[in-house]
Amino acid sequence: MESRVSKSAMINGIIVGLLLSVKFLLSAQKFSFASFLTLSISIYIVIVLFRLATSFRNKELEGFISYKFAFRFIFQVYFYGSIISSLVILIYTSYINRDYLDFLLNETLKM
């Protein structure tokens, strides 16, 4: 049972990780339209997490899931997605745009 949960969370974490990565890449741009898209992706991530949990409930658990189990599943999915997203952020800040962190620090200090 536990291995099915972990395997499903890893597979679904890829989807969430890609969404989080796209959200970061759009937020790194300086376009005003990109900020609208990042907000839309944030809302979409919440919807996707809900849909993944209900799909997991229906396929793997025969239609019943406790709150604790659903929370743990969603937490695992988001955890694996965050690992993928952090790798994309690391690659972006290390190889693609090395000045991004300096720019972000300057913008933060301006605020």
Side-chain angles (χ1 to χ4, degrees):
M1 175 73 168
E2 187 64 35
S3 65
R4 290 189 327 203
V5 174
S6 296
K7 182 179 177 184
S8 181
M10 283 183 203
I11 292 170
N12 292 325
I14 294 171
I15 297 167
V16 173
L18 292 176
L19 288 172
L20 289 171
S21 299
V22 169
K23 179 183 164 191
F24 168 74
L25 292 174
L26 286 175
S27 69
Q29 307 305 316
K30 297 173 182 77
F31 305 119
S32 61
F33 185 70
S35 64
F36 173 73
L37 287 175
T38 58
L39 177 65
S40 300
I41 290 173
S42 297
I43 294 169
Y44 186 67
I45 288 171
V46 172
I47 294 169
V48 165
L49 286 171
F50 174 75
R51 299 286 295 183
L52 290 174
T54 55
S55 174
F56 178 73
R57 176 197 68 191
N58 293 335
K59 290 180 182 175
E60 300 290 330
L61 302 176
E62 290 121 16
F64 178 76
I65 191 169
S66 67
Y67 178 78
K68 181 176 95 171
F69 199 75
F71 182 80
R72 190 173 75 190
F73 175 74
I74 291 173
F75 183 82
Q76 285 180 346
V77 169
Y78 202 84
F79 175 75
Y80 293 125
S82 296
I83 290 173
I84 293 170
S85 177
S86 65
L87 291 174
V88 170
I89 292 170
L90 180 67
I91 291 169
Y92 182 81
T93 58
S94 297
Y95 300 109
I96 298 173
N97 188 0
R98 293 183 179 193
D99 298 329
Y100 178 72
L101 293 178
D102 294 332
F103 169 75
L104 197 61
L105 177 65
N106 288 335
E107 289 297 314
T108 303
L109 292 175
K110 284 180 187 178
M111 286 185 191

